[in-house]
Amino acid sequence: MNRDYPLERVRNFGIIAHIDAGKTTTSERVLFYTGSQHKIGEVHEGETTTDWMEQERERGITITAAAVTCFWKNTRFNIIDTPGHIDFTVEVKRSLRVLDGAVVVFDGVAGVEPQSETNWRYAEEAHVPRVCFVNKLDRTGASFERSYQSILNRLSKKAVRMQIPIGEEGNHEGIIDLLKLKAYYFEGDMGNKVVEKEIPENLKADSEKYRRELIERIVENDEDLMSLYLEGKEISLDELKKTLRKAVIENKIFPVLTGSALKNKGVQLVLDAVVDYLPSPLDIPPVKGIDPRTGEEVERKASDTEPFAALAFKLQADPFVGQLTFFRVYSGTIESGSYIYNSTTGSKERLGRIVRLQADKREEVKKVFAGEIAAAVGLKDAKTSHTFSDENNPIVLDQIKFPEPVISLRIEPKTKADQEKMGMALKRLSDEDPTFKIKSDQETGETVIMGMGELHLEIIVDRMKREFGVEANVGKPQVAYKETIRGEAEVENKYIKQTGGKGQYGHVKIKIKPLPQYDPEEKVPKNAHREPGFEFINAIKGGVIPQEFIPAVEKGVREAMDRGILAGYKMTDISCELNYGSYHDVDSSEIAYKIAASQAFQEAAKKARPVLLEPIMKIEVVMPEKFMGDITGNLSGKRGQIEAMEDRGELKVVRAKVPLSEMFGYVTSLRSMTEGRGSSTMEFDHYAVVPTNVAQGIIEARTGGK
């Protein structure tokens, strides 16, 4: 079986944006114009293809990333429509990890919004080339110029207009392409006929001015073209497009397009831009990884003849076929029915079936080639971030890093029957979503679930009920506090227990200090290993503690950190150095060193100025001007710091940072303060030390004032 499309005619891209900017509406237009479906599904009618979960259709938002395959101008598109709500940000992060490009959609009224910034940051981290699409220009208050300026000011100075609109709000009629200097109108059934005309007289001067700006930005990237331009010579359209493509792939230019997906204007030109400017798998650098046998860095080029390498980026429970494992093939090919080698775990599994996804519909395929995205059915051991590779040429690709949860809920099954099902349901859901964590409270025996926000946990509980038939009682949302230290401390501790026969002996001396901000690029000393939030340094000299007991010491420290010392919250950002100890030929054991280390750590942490940390959220509130004073006063009363105020059309925008503990139920109180005319978005920003008076109350509530 051969590949149906050459690799240079494949585009793997995602559609990313802030909630309500029109991503899913844009995706639906893409599917319609590419002939993948014969009718356009609308979000407000709950009939879209990519929003296929019941919860998505009820709420009119995207929750899970949906993959679809379609064709445009002899090119295969593998598209992922991602969620815009901050609680499901994990979907954007992991999708960008396996995509070659992205179309970033902006609301023409609001411009850049908080989640646009977060998604942009994820795209920067993944070095993903982007095309911007300023959508919703038909809305009242829409302004292409204002939205374009917000991209320049808040995201990147590398953005440049490639189009300008013909009319805005109710007068939005079409689009001017600045490279070709032509006007485009969208006529016929659902705007499927793209009609090229001359530019209206009143926009000619602007078009020529902006075209000069665009050409200057393009020729900056090529010395030969720059010379021609400075000599006043005309540069051919093909040359300009070729140079622009190279600059976009190198992340030197982000083209800005415009239109209105809902009113069927401009989407086909976005698809043309994807073909013309976003990379194929051949245009991106070879993927790098580690050979698990030697620890050396190896790379794989995007080619069917290279050894097989793929990354699992998402798990999904499917009611019809069981577990689906989405994977991106970077090199080589794999056939259904063969064995797949998981180089992260070293295990092998039979790959029964491979499917290509059309949101929730699936098409079975026999073979998958380099540069493609597909899903495997029924793999049991695969998890998100695992690498599949050729067993004789193994490679482990970089793991995807996920943010830590900031909010928790207590949950208990309603009946005995629910209890058994709940454990299975929670495990399946946490496998699917790495930002959803489960732990059991050792003191009370209760199950605690943790996630990225109230909506995130609400959806999880709803899915447990619908997909797994589990009825559960749910507690109130709680803030996921953490603990850390501000000072240093050194403690020596011996754990000696004599009983009849063999005793227990463990003796350690440890030094702890605050860990600076985690930086994956930073070189870590040879005798240490570091991860976000923890560093363990083995500084034992002369074998005073035998090597086999060192892991037990580290385990004891980790267990003590999990319990915390102020209010039982997990401790973080701590460096622990084991620098002395002793052992007993007969009585020393792993358990003795573990207990000795755990006790030493707790004692040291009490001396090292322990503090509580709380999640601080970045919040943006949009409201009419007359409510401005009330809103800013209210946020200041919630220990918030106002960072910026700006105009957005007729409305005012306030940006602030506020502790999460103060923000429960804020949406309801905001509605009552603004007569229902205010809206807000909130996302996690960082952890900060809790003020002493507030911390005291939290500690007393947790420990019962002990």
Side-chain angles (χ1 to χ4, degrees):
M1 179 189 159
N2 293 326
R3 163 192 283 291
D4 50 359
Y5 268 74
L7 209 48
E8 62 271 15
R9 305 300 302 169
V10 173
R11 299 287 181 274
N12 297 312
F13 67 98
I15 298 182
I16 61 175
H18 184 89
I19 191 167
D20 268 353
K23 284 179 316 307
T24 302
T25 305
T26 306
S27 303
E28 289 299 314
R29 299 305 183 273
V30 169
L31 293 177
F32 177 72
Y33 296 132
T34 56
S36 292
Q37 61 189 44
H38 303 298
K39 118 181 215 306
I40 291 179
E42 298 295 5
V43 174
H44 50 266
E45 291 165 6
E47 291 180 351
T48 57
T49 306
T50 54
D51 283 358
W52 53 271
M53 286 170 69
E54 286 174 37
Q55 292 90 338
E56 294 179 312
R57 293 184 167 178
E58 285 168 8
R59 290 171 169 81
I61 61 167
T62 305
I63 290 167
T64 180
V68 288
T69 302
C70 54
F71 303 90
W72 179 257
K73 297 203 170 163
N74 203 24
T75 304
R76 169 198 289 263
F77 286 174
N78 296 316
I79 307 175
I80 297 186
D81 174 34
T82 62
H85 197 288
I86 182 61
D87 288 9
F88 309 105
T89 186
V90 58
E91 294 285 349
V92 182
K93 186 155 193 178
R94 63 173 158 201
S95 300
L96 283 170
R97 173 70 170 76
V98 297
L99 292 169
D100 304 330
V103 174
V104 191
V105 183
F106 298 93
D107 182 328
V109 179
V112 173
E113 296 175 271
Q115 190 61 20
S116 324
E117 292 184 28
T118 306
N119 291 342
W120 193 271
R121 193 173 70 241
Y122 290 157
E124 287 283 305
E125 286 169 13
H127 306 295
V128 171
R130 277 142 279 172
V131 168
C132 304
F133 177 53
V134 177
N135 187 24
K136 298 196 174 186
L137 277 196
D138 57 303
R139 276 185 61 196
T140 307
S143 161
F144 172 74
E145 209 46 48
R146 194 176 63 237
S147 300
Y148 173 61
Q149 288 304 326
S150 73
I151 295 171
L152 289 178
N153 296 338
R154 290 175 63 182
L155 299 182
S156 174
K157 292 278 185 272
K158 297 177 190 170
V160 64
R161 313 175 186 77
M162 275 200 67
Q163 299 175 345
I164 56 171
I166 302 169
E168 287 174 345
E169 302 182 344
N171 304 320
H172 180 48
E173 292 171 18
I175 285 148
I176 292 169
D177 182 313
L178 297 174
L179 262 190
K180 294 182 182 168
L181 269 186
K182 293 286 181 194
Y184 289 91
Y185 297 88
F186 302 86
E187 297 171 2
D189 180 30
M190 308 300 283
N192 59 357
K193 263 175 70 182
V194 183
V195 182
E196 186 182 290
K197 295 184 182 175
E198 289 306 311
I199 295 173
E201 280 301 320
N202 62 333
L203 291 171
K204 272 192 173 157
D206 277 354
S207 302
E208 279 164 12
K209 180 178 98 180
Y210 294 141
R211 183 174 196 265
R212 279 195 299 278
E213 275 178 27
L214 173 62
I215 290 176
E216 279 170 18
R217 291 291 300 279
I218 295 172
V219 298
E220 277 171 10
N221 297 284
D222 186 298
E223 285 181 16
D224 296 343
L225 291 193
M226 188 67 149
S227 308
L228 287 174
Y229 179 72
L230 292 173
E231 287 165 19
K233 291 185 178 156
E234 191 59 41
I235 302 167
S236 74
L237 189 63
D238 284 350
E239 282 289 334
L240 287 170
K241 284 175 85 168
K242 200 168 97 186
T243 309
L244 177 57
R245 173 179 176 77
K246 190 165 171 286
V248 170
I249 290 170
E250 290 172 357
N251 279 322
K252 290 179 178 169
I253 289 182
F254 302 117
V256 182
L257 314 178
T258 187
S260 163
L262 187 67
K263 294 288 190 281
N264 312 308
K265 290 182 174 63
V267 176
Q268 295 97 317
L269 302 185
V270 175
L271 299 183
D272 290 346
V274 168
V275 173
D276 291 343
Y277 308 119
L278 287 186
S280 76
L282 292 174
D283 295 315
I284 57 170
V287 66
K288 290 184 168 62
I290 301 293
D291 184 331
R293 298 168 304 186
T294 61
E296 287 174 10
E297 189 174 79
V298 283
E299 59 177 43
R300 294 279 185 273
K301 295 186 181 69
S303 160
D304 296 343
T305 55
E306 285 260 314
F308 175 66
L311 183 74
F313 66 96
K314 177 177 162 68
L315 302 186
Q316 185 176 307
D318 186 289
F320 304 107
V321 295
Q323 180 93 306
L324 284 175
T325 307
F326 286 71
F327 62 93
R328 154 78 193 257
V329 182
Y330 285 100
S331 62
T333 62
I334 187 111
E335 292 189 46
S336 59
S338 59
Y339 278 85
I340 194 163
Y341 176 67
N342 185 331
S343 44
T344 309
T345 62
S347 62
K348 274 169 81 169
E349 282 191 81
R350 189 166 178 279
L351 181 61
R353 291 162 60 202
I354 306 175
V355 291
R356 200 173 276 143
L357 279 261
Q358 205 64 356
D360 60 337
K361 300 182 181 62
R362 51 200 84 65
E363 161 204 350
E364 223 166 295
V365 288
K366 287 275 176 280
K367 190 172 183 180
V368 192
F369 299 87
E372 296 194 341
I373 291 172
V377 177
L379 293 182
K380 296 208 169 41
D381 294 340
K383 298 273 184 290
T384 301
S385 261
H386 280 186
T387 304
F388 304 133
S389 68
D390 177 355
E391 195 175 356
N392 300 321
N393 295 283
I395 183 173
V396 177
L397 302 173
D398 273 357
Q399 299 244 332
I400 308 171
K401 304 270 189 306
F402 296 110
E404 285 288 309
V406 294
I407 193 167
S408 64
L409 282 179
R410 294 185 182 277
I411 185 167
E412 60 178 30
K414 283 192 173 167
T415 65
K416 187 88 177 110
D418 285 324
Q419 190 164 1
E420 290 163 12
K421 285 193 289 185
M422 186 172 97
M424 188 191 77
L426 288 175
K427 184 183 180 310
R428 290 274 288 276
L429 291 166
S430 70
D431 282 349
E432 264 185 48
D433 181 350
T435 58
F436 170 60
K437 302 264 169 69
I438 315 146
K439 67 171 190 180
S440 56
D441 190 318
Q442 289 169 345
E443 289 170 21
T444 60
E446 291 173 303
T447 301
V448 178
I449 59 173
M450 296 149 73
M452 299 305 293
E454 288 180 83
L455 180 66
H456 186 196
L457 295 180
E458 189 186 311
I459 299 283
I460 293 276
V461 172
D462 194 27
R463 286 187 63 192
M464 270 173 47
K465 186 174 168 184
R466 293 192 196 192
E467 291 172 33
F468 301 94
V470 178
E471 294 285 348
N473 296 322
V474 179
K476 281 204 175 89
Q478 306 285 324
V479 177
Y481 291 103
K482 290 183 180 179
E483 298 179 20
T484 192
I485 53 172
R486 305 295 288 278
E488 297 185 9
E490 194 164 24
V491 164
E492 191 170 354
N493 183 52
K494 281 185 181 173
Y495 176 73
I496 304 171
K497 200 170 183 186
Q498 280 313 126
T499 50
K502 189 174 182 296
Q504 297 285 2
Y505 181 91
H507 171 209
V508 297
K509 185 178 181 187
I510 62 168
K511 180 181 180 183
I512 64 170
K513 62 180 183 182
L515 185 66
Q517 200 57 45
Y518 174 68
D519 177 6
E521 300 297 315
E522 200 178 303
K523 291 278 179 278
V524 175
K526 272 216 166 85
N527 60 343
H529 65 262
R530 181 182 293 187
E531 58 197 59
F534 182 55
E535 176 182 66
F536 184 76
I537 303 170
N538 171 15
I540 290 295
K541 302 239 176 5
V544 291
I545 297 177
Q547 199 56 40
E548 66 264 29
F549 295 131
I550 305 290
V553 174
E554 183 179 346
K555 200 170 177 192
V557 170
R558 282 178 183 275
E559 285 184 7
M561 280 178 68
D562 281 346
R563 291 193 296 273
I565 53 151
L566 286 174
Y569 292 108
K570 186 176 177 176
M571 300 192 79
T572 186
D573 296 335
I574 292 174
S575 172
C576 175
E577 180 183 287
L578 170 65
N579 52 28
Y580 187 66
S582 64
Y583 76 106
H584 189 283
D585 288 344
V586 179
D587 290 353
S588 281
S589 66
E590 286 193 8
I591 189 80
Y593 279 103
K594 196 169 114 178
I595 294 169
S598 184
Q599 290 173 346
F601 178 84
Q602 284 178 316
E603 195 183 327
K606 283 174 186 159
K607 292 178 178 174
R609 304 201 336 260
V611 287
L612 268 188
L613 297 174
E614 64 180 343
I616 304 294
M617 309 304 279
K618 193 158 69 173
I619 180 163
E620 182 171 292
V621 187
V622 183
M623 72 262 139
E625 187 170 1
K626 67 174 185 174
F627 303 113
M628 186 89 160
D630 294 351
I631 298 297
T632 51
N634 179 266
L635 288 173
S636 301
K638 292 179 178 293
R639 299 193 281 128
Q641 287 184 319
I642 310 291
E643 298 212 311
M645 299 181 198
E646 59 187 50
D647 297 333
R648 189 175 286 168
E650 302 294 303
L651 300 170
K652 290 281 182 193
V653 180
V654 173
R655 290 208 293 277
K657 290 198 176 139
V658 192
L660 173 62
S661 56
E662 304 280 349
M663 295 307 292
F664 290 122
Y666 182 70
V667 174
T668 314
S669 60
L670 175 66
R671 282 196 190 120
S672 58
M673 275 191 290
T674 59
E675 299 165 6
R677 292 155 68 194
S679 65
S680 69
T681 51
M682 181 167 75
E683 64 171 300
F684 170 70
D685 191 73
H686 67 284
Y687 270 89
V689 176
V690 181
T692 314
N693 57 335
V694 180
Q696 207 49 48
I698 297 166
I699 294 166
E700 281 170 13
R702 278 280 283 197
T703 58
K706 288 175 205 161

